[in-house]
Amino acid sequence: MVLLHSAVGVDWQSPPKGTSLKTLSEAEEQGFILIRGEFQKRQFRLTELGSKYIDHDKRRLEARRL
């Protein structure tokens, strides 16, 4: 979840420091992100599903605050 919430838009970007390959792989398997590159040059971007999921989750969290 932290990985998805760290995304800024749907453009290619570096994962946050400390993000494991396992975390990236799990998010990719669930269809939330796409991955490109290897090792230190690895990047990710949200898929349409990932973007919709984050929008929904942000609205849910905002509603809980009110």
Side-chain angles (χ1 to χ4, degrees), residues 4-51:
L4 299 179
H5 277 278
S6 73
V8 179
V10 293
D11 294 329
W12 290 104
Q13 54 205 285
S14 297
K17 288 266 189 215
T19 303
S20 71
L21 180 57
K22 182 178 178 182
T23 299
L24 289 168
S25 296
E26 287 176 357
E28 185 179 41
E29 286 173 9
Q30 293 176 17
F32 293 134
I33 66 170
L34 298 174
I35 299 173
R36 74 174 182 187
E38 293 186 23
F39 306 109
Q40 285 81 13
K41 297 183 187 270
R42 183 163 285 134
Q43 294 182 315
F44 79 100
R45 68 179 286 190
L46 292 175
T47 61
E48 185 178 342
L49 175 64
S51 182

